[in-house]
Amino acid sequence: MNATQTGVLAGLVLGLAASQGFGAFLITFAVGVIGLVAGRVLDGELDLGDVFGRGKDR
């Protein structure tokens, strides 16, 4: 299991801790996405500098 999978799993488990209802679904989804992004960064598959934009070299 790589860091991406671990991040998604951890995010979903933490989101389920919010429990019950549509709000809990949204929280679970959001925390799962955060876990996915964190896992991709740790695996080196995502560079946050590209996502948020760095100062362009002139």
Side-chain angles (χ1 to χ4, degrees):
M1 193 186 247
N2 61 25
T4 299
Q5 293 168 333
T6 304
V8 169
L9 184 62
L12 293 175
V13 169
L14 288 171
L16 285 174
S19 72
Q20 303 180 4
F22 185 70
F25 166 75
L26 292 177
I27 292 170
T28 302
F29 181 76
V31 176
V33 169
I34 291 168
L36 173 68
V37 170
R40 292 255 170 144
V41 169
L42 291 174
D43 278 343
E45 297 177 12
L46 179 64
D47 183 14
L48 292 179
D50 292 340
V51 174
F52 293 112
R54 291 183 225 169
K56 296 196 178 210
D57 294 334
R58 294 180 185 193

